[in-house]
Amino acid sequence: MAEQEHRWPCASCGADLRYSPGDTALKCDHCGHVQTLPDVAPARHSALDELDLNLALQNDLPPAEMEEVRITPCPSCGSQVEFHGAAHATECPFCATPVAIGTGTQRLIKPQAVLPFVLTERQGREAMGKWLGGLWFAPGGLVEYARKGRTLSGLYVPYWTYDAATRSRYSGARGEHYYETRTVTVQVNGKSERRQEQVRKTRWHSASGWVSRRFDDVLVLASGSLPRRYTDTLAPWDLGALLPYSPDFLAGFTSEGYTVSLADGQTIARDVMAAQIAQDVRRDIGGDEQRIDQINTAYSAETFKHILLPIWMAAYKYNGKSYRFVVNGQTGKVQGERPYSAWKIAFAVIVAAIIIGGIAYLSQM
């Protein structure tokens, strides 16, 4: 399959167009010309179509579901940056290292759906600036960074979604609390006294049974470039707003190719499912306490989607180390790494010691 290079020239001045977040149009930053995108609403249902997971794991998907893409690895952090349009060089959104496009291609599963940016770069920057400004013990340079408002990078991040029907056989025990009265000896004003107290005990009964659950759109980050603890906390995403994939939504943005394989993503998704199934089992066992000895789960009707979600990102360097901040391009929720100012922490410790010492001195007067 030949690689397609997409370009979006302005009909008015010939400059490159950029997708305008929150709109269904491409906009020229040079002359302001706006070009309306075709209505994708009639085809929206196709964005939610699921693909057979077993066929994909056997590399047996139809050719129409695959594509050749040009991916460039960042020489510093190794992230896989995918270029679109006429751009041939950029700054890595993950670590701020300059990246130039290469000539290598990879055959990957084509994105089926995309969640277009809702927030503009300015709105994303405002959300990040508010978050950074509220951090305790942040270096002054970081606060200044937020005030200056350096431009954020708009990035479409790859995700897998997994569906499955599950039926689980479990064995364990149900614990029921009961109380017994016992007599104890305690010391009261130097004298021994005998008192009665209630002691809680647990009576255990064997339990076994079946639980069933259907999972829909278990979301798994398909990139290793960002810590999952940050991207997971960017949730929730309104996946009901997904649209059929079109390169038009990527105009002026970069996207990352997936580096977490479909099989590895399935393992992560099943771990998420297992945690929910364990909760179902505990509810089914009932009682005051539950003990789970074994759960055996059968999976069926397993399907998946490959989707792209929008993130505004910035990388900040402090003492030679890069710190990354990410903003949900749909809701404005912010997460990220942050440096700490050693002298601010030391100053706070000194002030706290002075205050505590002062209180102790006054209490002795």
Side-chain angles (χ1 to χ4, degrees), residues 28-340:
C28 178
D29 293 335
H30 182 69
C31 70
H33 174 73
V34 175
Q35 179 176 312
T36 303
L37 292 175
D39 183 13
V40 296
R44 185 179 171 278
H45 69 279
S46 67
L48 305 178
D49 286 348
E50 305 287 340
L51 297 180
D52 187 286
L53 180 58
N54 290 326
L55 285 180
L57 293 176
Q58 297 167 16
N59 294 319
D60 199 21
L61 283 178
E65 303 300 338
M66 308 297 291
E67 65 175 351
E68 292 285 339
V69 295
R70 188 162 51 184
I71 300 237
T72 299
C74 171
S76 179
C77 70
S79 62
Q80 299 292 315
V81 180
E82 183 177 338
F83 284 77
H84 298 272
H88 292 277
T90 187
E91 187 178 80
C92 175
F94 301 102
C95 67
T97 299
V99 177
I101 196 165
T103 58
T105 63
Q106 292 186 30
R107 188 169 184 266
L108 300 177
I109 297 173
K110 183 186 300 183
Q112 296 154 262
V114 59
L115 192 61
F117 276 88
V118 174
L119 300 184
T120 64
E121 189 275 337
R122 179 178 179 180
Q123 292 171 321
R125 183 162 22 99
E126 289 174 350
M128 190 191 73
K130 183 177 180 181
W131 183 80
L132 291 176
L135 294 179
W136 286 82
F137 303 121
L142 180 60
V143 178
E144 185 65 20
Y145 173 93
R147 290 174 180 165
K148 287 182 177 179
R150 180 184 173 186
T151 301
L152 304 183
S153 298
L155 178 71
Y156 282 99
V157 179
Y159 279 80
W160 303 113
T161 72
Y162 295 87
D163 293 3
T166 63
R167 181 166 171 78
S168 305
R169 170 73 175 174
Y170 71 84
S171 61
R174 178 178 64 256
E176 297 177 343
H177 295 160
Y178 67 97
Y179 293 85
E180 291 183 348
T181 301
R182 69 179 182 183
T183 302
V184 296
T185 301
V186 297
Q187 295 292 322
V188 179
N189 296 327
K191 297 182 180 180
S192 296
E193 292 186 5
R194 294 177 65 79
R195 294 181 179 179
Q196 290 186 333
E197 65 178 16
Q198 294 291 305
V199 180
R200 193 184 79 181
K201 294 189 175 182
T202 304
R203 185 178 290 112
W204 291 95
H205 306 275
S206 296
S208 61
W210 295 85
V211 295
S212 299
R213 176 176 284 271
R214 184 170 187 86
F215 291 92
D216 180 50
D217 285 342
V218 175
L219 200 60
V220 175
L221 176 67
S223 164
S225 302
L226 291 171
R228 284 187 59 205
R229 64 183 181 277
Y230 295 133
T231 54
D232 286 352
T233 50
L234 287 182
W237 300 87
D238 178 13
L239 299 185
L242 284 169
L243 294 176
Y245 173 77
S246 169
D248 292 338
F249 294 115
L250 278 58
F253 295 90
T254 56
S255 64
E256 188 189 11
Y258 61 82
T259 54
V260 175
S261 70
L262 186 63
D264 289 342
Q266 179 194 33
T267 299
I268 297 172
R270 284 192 173 185
D271 288 342
V272 174
M273 296 177 191
Q276 179 61 61
I277 292 171
Q279 293 183 26
D280 293 345
V281 167
R282 291 187 183 279
R283 282 193 292 269
D284 201 61
I285 290 176
D288 300 307
E289 293 184 44
Q290 303 82 34
R291 187 175 66 234
I292 300 176
D293 296 328
Q294 189 174 36
I295 300 178
N296 293 314
T297 299
Y299 297 85
S300 61
E302 292 185 277
T303 58
F304 79 97
K305 292 193 300 291
H306 174 28
I307 65 175
L308 301 178
L309 300 184
I311 289 178
W312 288 110
M313 178 181 294
Y316 171 78
K317 287 192 175 181
Y318 178 73
N319 284 344
K321 182 179 178 182
S322 291
Y323 296 86
R324 294 163 295 183
F325 312 106
V326 290
V327 183
N328 183 317
Q330 183 186 45
T331 66
K333 191 173 183 180
V334 184
Q335 291 295 330
E337 303 160 314
R338 50 83 48 89
Y340 289 86

